[in-house]
Coordinates of all heavy atoms in Angstrom, one line a residue:
D188 N -70.2 -8.1 -45.2 CA -69.4 -7.3 -44.3 C -68.0 -7.8 -44.2 O -67.8 -9.0 -43.9 CB -70.1 -7.1 -43.0 CG -71.4 -6.4 -43.1 OD1 -71.6 -5.6 -44.0 OD2 -72.2 -6.6 -42.2
R189 N -67.0 -7.0 -44.2 CA -65.7 -7.4 -44.1 C -64.8 -6.4 -43.3 O -65.2 -5.3 -43.1 CB -65.1 -7.4 -45.5 CG -65.9 -8.3 -46.5 CD -65.0 -8.9 -47.5 NE -65.7 -9.8 -48.4 CZ -66.0 -11.1 -48.1 NH1 -65.6 -11.6 -47.0 NH2 -66.6 -11.9 -48.9
Y190 N -63.7 -6.9 -42.8 CA -62.8 -6.1 -42.2 C -61.4 -6.4 -42.7 O -61.2 -7.5 -43.3 CB -62.8 -6.1 -40.6 CG -62.6 -7.5 -40.0 CD1 -61.3 -7.8 -39.6 CD2 -63.6 -8.4 -39.9 CE1 -61.1 -9.1 -39.0 CE2 -63.4 -9.6 -39.3 CZ -62.2 -10.0 -38.9 OH -61.9 -11.2 -38.4
Y191 N -60.4 -5.6 -42.5 CA -59.1 -5.8 -43.2 C -58.0 -5.7 -42.1 O -58.1 -4.8 -41.2 CB -58.9 -4.7 -44.2 CG -59.9 -4.7 -45.3 CD1 -61.1 -4.0 -45.2 CD2 -59.7 -5.5 -46.4 CE1 -62.1 -4.1 -46.2 CE2 -60.7 -5.6 -47.4 CZ -61.9 -4.9 -47.3 OH -62.8 -5.0 -48.3
V192 N -57.0 -6.5 -42.3 CA -55.8 -6.5 -41.4 C -54.7 -6.0 -42.4 O -54.5 -6.6 -43.4 CB -55.5 -7.9 -40.9 CG1 -54.2 -7.9 -40.1 CG2 -56.6 -8.5 -40.1
N193 N -54.1 -4.9 -41.9 CA -53.0 -4.3 -42.7 C -51.7 -4.4 -42.0 O -51.6 -3.8 -40.9 CB -53.4 -2.9 -43.1 CG -52.4 -2.2 -44.0 OD1 -51.4 -2.8 -44.3 ND2 -52.8 -1.1 -44.5
I194 N -50.7 -5.1 -42.5 CA -49.4 -5.2 -41.8 C -48.4 -4.7 -42.8 O -48.4 -5.1 -44.0 CB -49.1 -6.7 -41.4 CG1 -50.2 -7.2 -40.4 CG2 -47.7 -6.8 -40.9 CD1 -50.0 -8.6 -40.1
S195 N -47.5 -3.8 -42.4 CA -46.5 -3.2 -43.3 C -45.1 -3.8 -43.2 O -44.3 -3.4 -44.0 CB -46.5 -1.7 -43.0 OG -46.1 -1.5 -41.7
V196 N -44.9 -4.8 -42.3 CA -43.6 -5.3 -42.1 C -43.5 -6.7 -42.8 O -44.4 -7.6 -42.6 CB -43.2 -5.5 -40.6 CG1 -41.9 -6.2 -40.5 CG2 -43.3 -4.2 -39.9
I197 N -42.6 -6.9 -43.7 CA -42.4 -8.1 -44.5 C -42.2 -9.3 -43.5 O -41.5 -9.2 -42.6 CB -41.2 -8.0 -45.5 CG1 -41.5 -7.0 -46.5 CG2 -40.9 -9.4 -46.1 CD1 -40.4 -6.7 -47.4
G198 N -43.0 -10.4 -43.7 CA -42.8 -11.6 -42.9 C -44.0 -12.5 -43.0 O -44.9 -12.3 -43.8
S199 N -44.0 -13.5 -42.2 CA -45.1 -14.5 -42.1 C -45.8 -14.4 -40.8 O -45.1 -14.4 -39.7 CB -44.5 -15.9 -42.3 OG -45.5 -16.9 -42.3
Y200 N -47.1 -14.3 -40.8 CA -47.8 -14.0 -39.5 C -49.0 -15.0 -39.3 O -49.6 -15.5 -40.3 CB -48.4 -12.6 -39.6 CG -47.4 -11.5 -39.7 CD1 -46.9 -11.1 -40.9 CD2 -46.8 -11.0 -38.5 CE1 -45.9 -10.1 -41.0 CE2 -45.9 -10.0 -38.6 CZ -45.4 -9.6 -39.9 OH -44.4 -8.6 -39.9
Q201 N -49.3 -15.3 -38.1 CA -50.4 -16.1 -37.7 C -51.5 -15.1 -37.1 O -51.1 -14.2 -36.3 CB -50.1 -17.1 -36.6 CG -51.2 -17.9 -36.1 CD -51.7 -18.9 -37.1 OE1 -50.9 -19.4 -37.9 NE2 -53.0 -19.2 -37.1
L202 N -52.7 -15.2 -37.6 CA -53.8 -14.3 -37.1 C -54.8 -15.1 -36.3 O -55.2 -16.2 -36.8 CB -54.5 -13.7 -38.3 CG -53.7 -12.9 -39.3 CD1 -54.5 -12.4 -40.5 CD2 -52.9 -11.8 -38.7
E203 N -55.2 -14.6 -35.2 CA -56.2 -15.3 -34.3 C -57.2 -14.3 -33.8 O -56.8 -13.3 -33.2 CB -55.5 -16.0 -33.2 CG -54.5 -17.1 -33.6 CD -53.7 -17.6 -32.4 OE1 -53.0 -16.8 -31.8 OE2 -53.8 -18.8 -32.2
L204 N -58.5 -14.5 -34.1 CA -59.5 -13.7 -33.6 C -60.3 -14.4 -32.5 O -60.7 -15.6 -32.6 CB -60.5 -13.4 -34.7 CG -61.6 -12.4 -34.4 CD1 -61.1 -11.0 -34.1 CD2 -62.7 -12.4 -35.5
M205 N -60.4 -13.7 -31.3 CA -61.0 -14.3 -30.1 C -62.1 -13.4 -29.6 O -62.0 -12.2 -29.7 CB -59.9 -14.6 -29.1 CG -58.9 -15.6 -29.5 SD -57.3 -15.4 -28.6 CE -56.7 -13.9 -29.3
D206 N -63.0 -14.1 -28.9 CA -64.1 -13.3 -28.2 C -63.5 -12.9 -26.8 O -62.4 -13.3 -26.5 CB -65.4 -14.0 -28.2 CG -65.4 -15.3 -27.4 OD1 -64.4 -15.6 -26.6 OD2 -66.4 -16.1 -27.5
L207 N -64.3 -12.3 -26.0 CA -63.9 -11.8 -24.7 C -63.6 -13.0 -23.7 O -62.9 -12.8 -22.8 CB -64.9 -10.9 -24.1 CG -65.0 -9.5 -24.6 CD1 -66.0 -8.7 -23.9 CD2 -63.6 -8.8 -24.5
L208 N -64.2 -14.2 -24.0 CA -64.0 -15.3 -23.2 C -62.7 -16.1 -23.6 O -62.4 -17.1 -23.1 CB -65.2 -16.3 -23.2 CG -66.5 -15.6 -22.7 CD1 -67.6 -16.6 -22.8 CD2 -66.3 -15.2 -21.2
G209 N -62.0 -15.6 -24.7 CA -60.8 -16.3 -25.2 C -61.1 -17.4 -26.1 O -60.2 -18.1 -26.5
R210 N -62.3 -17.6 -26.6 CA -62.6 -18.6 -27.5 C -62.1 -18.2 -28.9 O -62.3 -17.1 -29.4 CB -64.1 -18.9 -27.6 CG -64.7 -19.5 -26.4 CD -66.2 -19.7 -26.5 NE -66.8 -18.4 -26.6 CZ -68.1 -18.2 -26.2 NH1 -68.8 -19.1 -25.6 NH2 -68.6 -17.0 -26.3
L211 N -61.4 -19.1 -29.6 CA -60.9 -18.9 -30.9 C -62.0 -18.9 -31.9 O -62.6 -20.0 -32.1 CB -59.8 -19.9 -31.2 CG -59.0 -19.7 -32.5 CD1 -58.2 -18.4 -32.4 CD2 -58.0 -20.8 -32.7
L212 N -62.2 -17.8 -32.7 CA -63.2 -17.8 -33.7 C -62.7 -17.8 -35.1 O -63.4 -18.2 -36.0 CB -64.0 -16.5 -33.5 CG -64.6 -16.2 -32.1 CD1 -65.2 -14.8 -32.1 CD2 -65.6 -17.3 -31.8
Y213 N -61.4 -17.5 -35.2 CA -60.7 -17.5 -36.6 C -59.3 -17.7 -36.3 O -58.7 -17.1 -35.4 CB -61.0 -16.2 -37.3 CG -60.1 -16.1 -38.6 CD1 -60.5 -16.8 -39.8 CD2 -58.9 -15.5 -38.6 CE1 -59.7 -16.7 -40.9 CE2 -58.1 -15.4 -39.7 CZ -58.5 -16.0 -40.9 OH -57.7 -16.0 -42.0
S214 N -58.7 -18.6 -37.2 CA -57.2 -18.7 -37.2 C -56.8 -18.8 -38.6 O -57.4 -19.6 -39.4 CB -56.8 -20.0 -36.4 OG -55.4 -20.1 -36.4
G215 N -55.8 -18.1 -39.0 CA -55.3 -18.1 -40.4 C -53.9 -17.5 -40.4 O -53.4 -17.0 -39.4
S216 N -53.3 -17.6 -41.6 CA -52.0 -17.0 -41.7 C -52.0 -16.0 -42.8 O -52.9 -15.9 -43.6 CB -51.0 -18.1 -42.1 OG -51.3 -18.8 -43.3
M217 N -50.9 -15.2 -42.8 CA -50.8 -14.1 -43.7 C -49.3 -13.9 -44.1 O -48.4 -14.0 -43.2 CB -51.3 -12.8 -43.1 CG -51.2 -11.6 -43.9 SD -51.9 -10.2 -42.9 CE -51.6 -8.9 -44.1
E218 N -49.0 -13.9 -45.4 CA -47.7 -13.6 -45.9 C -47.6 -12.2 -46.4 O -48.3 -11.8 -47.2 CB -47.3 -14.6 -47.0 CG -47.3 -16.1 -46.6 CD -46.2 -16.4 -45.6 OE1 -45.1 -15.8 -45.7 OE2 -46.4 -17.3 -44.8
V219 N -46.6 -11.4 -45.8 CA -46.4 -10.1 -46.3 C -45.1 -10.1 -47.1 O -44.1 -10.4 -46.5 CB -46.4 -9.1 -45.1 CG1 -46.1 -7.7 -45.7 CG2 -47.7 -9.1 -44.4
Q220 N -45.2 -9.8 -48.3 CA -44.0 -9.7 -49.2 C -43.9 -8.3 -49.8 O -44.9 -7.6 -49.9 CB -44.1 -10.8 -50.3 CG -44.1 -12.2 -49.7 CD -44.4 -13.2 -50.8 OE1 -44.6 -12.9 -52.0 NE2 -44.4 -14.5 -50.4
L221 N -42.8 -8.0 -50.3 CA -42.6 -6.7 -51.0 C -43.5 -6.6 -52.2 O -43.5 -7.5 -53.0 CB -41.1 -6.6 -51.4 CG -40.7 -5.2 -52.0 CD1 -40.8 -4.2 -50.9 CD2 -39.2 -5.3 -52.4
G222 N -44.4 -5.6 -52.2 CA -45.3 -5.4 -53.3 C -46.7 -6.0 -53.2 O -47.5 -5.7 -53.9
N223 N -46.9 -6.8 -52.1 CA -48.3 -7.3 -52.0 C -49.2 -6.5 -51.1 O -50.3 -6.8 -50.8 CB -48.3 -8.8 -51.6 CG -48.0 -9.0 -50.1 OD1 -47.7 -8.1 -49.4 ND2 -48.2 -10.3 -49.7
G224 N -48.7 -5.4 -50.5 CA -49.5 -4.5 -49.7 C -49.8 -4.9 -48.3 O -50.2 -4.1 -47.5
G225 N -49.6 -6.2 -47.9 CA -49.8 -6.6 -46.6 C -51.2 -6.5 -46.1 O -51.4 -6.1 -44.9
V226 N -52.2 -6.7 -46.9 CA -53.6 -6.6 -46.5 C -54.3 -7.9 -46.6 O -54.2 -8.6 -47.6 CB -54.4 -5.6 -47.4 CG1 -55.8 -5.5 -47.0 CG2 -53.7 -4.2 -47.3
K227 N -55.0 -8.3 -45.5 CA -55.8 -9.6 -45.5 C -57.2 -9.2 -45.2 O -57.6 -8.4 -44.3 CB -55.3 -10.4 -44.3 CG -56.0 -11.7 -44.1 CD -55.5 -12.8 -44.9 CE -56.1 -14.1 -44.5 NZ -55.6 -15.2 -45.3
E228 N -58.1 -9.7 -46.1 CA -59.5 -9.4 -46.0 C -60.2 -10.6 -45.2 O -60.0 -11.7 -45.6 CB -60.1 -9.2 -47.3 CG -61.6 -8.9 -47.3 CD -62.2 -8.7 -48.8 OE1 -61.5 -8.1 -49.6 OE2 -63.2 -9.3 -49.0
L229 N -61.0 -10.3 -44.2 CA -61.7 -11.3 -43.4 C -63.2 -10.9 -43.4 O -63.5 -9.8 -43.3 CB -61.1 -11.4 -42.0 CG -59.6 -11.7 -41.9 CD1 -59.2 -11.5 -40.5 CD2 -59.3 -13.0 -42.4
S230 N -64.0 -11.9 -43.3 CA -65.4 -11.7 -43.3 C -65.9 -11.6 -41.8 O -65.4 -12.3 -41.0 CB -66.2 -12.9 -43.9 OG -67.6 -12.8 -43.7
K231 N -66.8 -10.7 -41.5 CA -67.3 -10.5 -40.2 C -68.8 -10.9 -40.2 O -69.5 -10.7 -39.2 CB -67.1 -9.2 -39.6 CG -67.8 -8.0 -40.3 CD -67.6 -6.7 -39.6 CE -68.4 -5.6 -40.2 NZ -68.4 -4.4 -39.5
S232 N -69.3 -11.4 -41.3 CA -70.8 -11.7 -41.4 C -71.3 -12.7 -40.3 O -72.4 -12.6 -40.0 CB -71.1 -12.2 -42.8 OG -70.4 -13.4 -43.0
H233 N -70.4 -13.6 -39.9 CA -70.8 -14.5 -38.9 C -70.6 -14.1 -37.4 O -70.9 -14.8 -36.5 CB -70.1 -15.9 -39.1 CG -68.6 -15.8 -38.8 ND1 -67.8 -15.2 -39.7 CD2 -67.9 -16.2 -37.8 CE1 -66.6 -15.2 -39.2 NE2 -66.6 -15.9 -38.1
L234 N -70.1 -12.8 -37.2 CA -69.8 -12.3 -35.9 C -70.9 -11.3 -35.4 O -71.2 -10.4 -36.2 CB -68.5 -11.7 -35.9 CG -67.3 -12.5 -36.2 CD1 -66.0 -11.7 -36.3 CD2 -67.1 -13.6 -35.2
P235 N -71.5 -11.5 -34.3 CA -72.4 -10.5 -33.7 C -71.6 -9.3 -33.3 O -70.4 -9.3 -33.1 CB -73.0 -11.2 -32.5 CG -72.0 -12.3 -32.1 CD -71.3 -12.7 -33.4
S236 N -72.3 -8.2 -33.2 CA -71.7 -6.9 -32.7 C -71.1 -7.1 -31.3 O -71.7 -7.9 -30.5 CB -72.7 -5.8 -32.7 OG -73.2 -5.5 -33.9
G237 N -70.0 -6.5 -31.1 CA -69.4 -6.6 -29.8 C -67.9 -6.5 -29.8 O -67.3 -6.4 -30.9
P238 N -67.2 -6.7 -28.7 CA -65.7 -6.6 -28.7 C -65.1 -7.9 -29.0 O -65.6 -9.0 -28.6 CB -65.4 -6.1 -27.2 CG -66.6 -6.7 -26.4 CD -67.8 -6.7 -27.4
Y239 N -63.9 -7.8 -29.6 CA -63.1 -9.0 -29.9 C -61.6 -8.6 -29.8 O -61.3 -7.5 -29.7 CB -63.4 -9.5 -31.4 CG -64.8 -9.9 -31.6 CD1 -65.8 -9.0 -32.0 CD2 -65.1 -11.3 -31.4 CE1 -67.1 -9.5 -32.2 CE2 -66.4 -11.7 -31.6 CZ -67.4 -10.8 -32.0 OH -68.7 -11.2 -32.1
F240 N -60.8 -9.6 -29.8 CA -59.3 -9.4 -29.8 C -58.7 -10.1 -31.0 O -59.1 -11.3 -31.3 CB -58.7 -10.0 -28.5 CG -59.1 -9.3 -27.3 CD1 -60.1 -9.8 -26.4 CD2 -58.5 -8.1 -26.9 CE1 -60.4 -9.1 -25.3 CE2 -58.8 -7.4 -25.8 CZ -59.8 -7.9 -25.0
L241 N -57.9 -9.4 -31.7 CA -57.1 -10.0 -32.8 C -55.7 -10.0 -32.4 O -55.0 -9.0 -32.0 CB -57.2 -9.1 -34.0 CG -56.4 -9.5 -35.2 CD1 -56.9 -10.9 -35.8 CD2 -56.4 -8.5 -36.3
R242 N -55.1 -11.3 -32.3 CA -53.7 -11.5 -32.0 C -53.0 -11.8 -33.3 O -53.3 -12.7 -34.0 CB -53.6 -12.6 -31.0 CG -52.1 -12.8 -30.6 CD -51.9 -13.7 -29.4 NE -52.7 -15.0 -29.6 CZ -53.2 -15.7 -28.6 NH1 -53.1 -15.2 -27.3 NH2 -53.8 -16.8 -28.8
V243 N -51.9 -11.0 -33.5 CA -51.0 -11.2 -34.7 C -49.7 -11.7 -34.1 O -49.1 -11.0 -33.3 CB -50.9 -9.9 -35.5 CG1 -50.0 -10.1 -36.7 CG2 -52.3 -9.4 -35.9
T244 N -49.2 -12.8 -34.6 CA -47.9 -13.4 -34.2 C -47.0 -13.5 -35.3 O -47.3 -14.1 -36.4 CB -48.1 -14.8 -33.5 OG1 -49.1 -14.7 -32.5 CG2 -46.8 -15.3 -33.0
N245 N -45.8 -12.9 -35.2 CA -44.8 -13.0 -36.2 C -44.2 -14.5 -36.1 O -43.7 -14.8 -35.0 CB -43.7 -12.0 -36.0 CG -42.6 -12.0 -37.0 OD1 -42.1 -13.0 -37.5 ND2 -42.2 -10.8 -37.5
K246 N -44.3 -15.2 -37.2 CA -43.9 -16.6 -37.1 C -42.4 -16.8 -37.0 O -41.9 -17.8 -36.5 CB -44.4 -17.4 -38.3 CG -45.9 -17.6 -38.4 CD -46.3 -18.4 -39.6 CE -47.7 -18.6 -39.7 NZ -48.1 -19.4 -40.9
K247 N -41.6 -15.8 -37.4 CA -40.2 -15.9 -37.4 C -39.6 -15.7 -36.0 O -38.8 -16.5 -35.5 CB -39.5 -14.8 -38.3 CG -38.0 -14.9 -38.4 CD -37.5 -13.9 -39.3 CE -36.0 -14.0 -39.4 NZ -35.4 -13.0 -40.3
D248 N -40.1 -14.7 -35.3 CA -39.5 -14.4 -33.9 C -40.5 -14.5 -32.8 O -40.1 -14.4 -31.6 CB -38.9 -13.0 -33.9 CG -39.9 -11.9 -34.1 OD1 -41.1 -12.1 -34.1 OD2 -39.5 -10.7 -34.4
G249 N -41.7 -14.9 -33.1 CA -42.7 -15.1 -32.0 C -43.3 -13.9 -31.4 O -44.1 -14.0 -30.5
Q250 N -42.9 -12.7 -31.9 CA -43.4 -11.5 -31.3 C -44.9 -11.4 -31.6 O -45.4 -11.6 -32.7 CB -42.7 -10.3 -31.9 CG -43.0 -9.0 -31.2 CD -42.0 -7.9 -31.6 OE1 -41.3 -8.0 -32.6 NE2 -42.0 -6.8 -30.8
Q251 N -45.7 -11.0 -30.5 CA -47.1 -10.9 -30.6 C -47.6 -9.5 -30.4 O -47.1 -8.7 -29.6 CB -47.8 -11.8 -29.6 CG -47.6 -13.3 -29.8 CD -48.3 -14.1 -28.8 OE1 -48.8 -13.6 -27.8 NE2 -48.4 -15.4 -29.1
Y252 N -48.7 -9.2 -31.2 CA -49.4 -7.9 -31.0 C -50.9 -8.3 -30.9 O -51.4 -9.1 -31.6 CB -49.3 -7.1 -32.3 CG -47.8 -6.8 -32.6 CD1 -47.1 -7.6 -33.5 CD2 -47.2 -5.7 -32.1 CE1 -45.8 -7.4 -33.8 CE2 -45.8 -5.4 -32.4 CZ -45.2 -6.3 -33.3 OH -43.9 -6.0 -33.6
T253 N -51.5 -7.7 -29.9 CA -53.0 -7.9 -29.7 C -53.7 -6.6 -29.8 O -53.3 -5.6 -29.1 CB -53.2 -8.6 -28.3 OG1 -52.5 -9.8 -28.2 CG2 -54.7 -8.9 -28.1
V254 N -54.8 -6.6 -30.5 CA -55.6 -5.4 -30.8 C -57.0 -5.7 -30.4 O -57.5 -6.7 -30.7 CB -55.5 -5.0 -32.3 CG1 -56.4 -3.7 -32.5 CG2 -54.1 -4.7 -32.7
K255 N -57.6 -4.8 -29.7 CA -59.0 -4.9 -29.3 C -59.9 -4.3 -30.5 O -59.6 -3.2 -31.0 CB -59.4 -4.2 -28.0 CG -60.8 -4.4 -27.6 CD -61.1 -3.8 -26.2 CE -62.5 -4.0 -25.8 NZ -62.7 -3.4 -24.5
L256 N -60.8 -5.1 -31.0 CA -61.7 -4.6 -32.1 C -63.1 -4.5 -31.5 O -63.6 -5.3 -30.7 CB -61.7 -5.7 -33.2 CG -60.4 -6.0 -33.8 CD1 -60.5 -7.2 -34.8 CD2 -59.8 -4.8 -34.5
L257 N -63.9 -3.6 -32.1 CA -65.3 -3.5 -31.7 C -66.1 -3.6 -33.0 O -66.0 -2.8 -33.9 CB -65.6 -2.1 -31.1 CG -67.0 -1.9 -30.6 CD1 -67.4 -3.0 -29.6 CD2 -67.2 -0.5 -30.0
M258 N -66.8 -4.7 -33.2 CA -67.6 -5.0 -34.4 C -68.9 -4.3 -34.2 O -69.6 -4.5 -33.2 CB -67.8 -6.5 -34.5 CG -66.6 -7.3 -34.7 SD -65.8 -6.9 -36.3 CE -64.4 -8.1 -36.2
A259 N -69.3 -3.6 -35.2 CA -70.6 -2.9 -35.2 C -71.4 -3.3 -36.4 O -70.8 -3.5 -37.5 CB -70.4 -1.4 -35.1
E260 N -72.7 -3.3 -36.3 CA -73.5 -3.6 -37.5 C -73.6 -2.4 -38.4 O -73.6 -1.3 -38.0 CB -74.9 -4.0 -37.0 CG -74.8 -5.2 -36.2 CD -75.4 -6.4 -36.8 OE1 -76.1 -6.3 -37.8 OE2 -75.2 -7.5 -36.2

C-alpha cells in the first residue's frame, strides 16, 4: 500500500508525517525540479488506519503546509 505526495512548485521540501499525538512517524526530503513531476511515493503498510498530519516545509523560505490525511485499509 502506498500514498503519493504531489508538489507542483519547484524547490526543496522537508516532509514530516505525524500521528494525532504529534509523534513523528516519517521524515524525508523531496526535490522538485523542472520535468520530474514533483511526486514522492511513500509506503503506508506500517501505518494503522486513522488520521495523520503531513507537514511540508519549503527549505528555502520556511513556508509550511499541513494537510490532514485519513489512512484507510
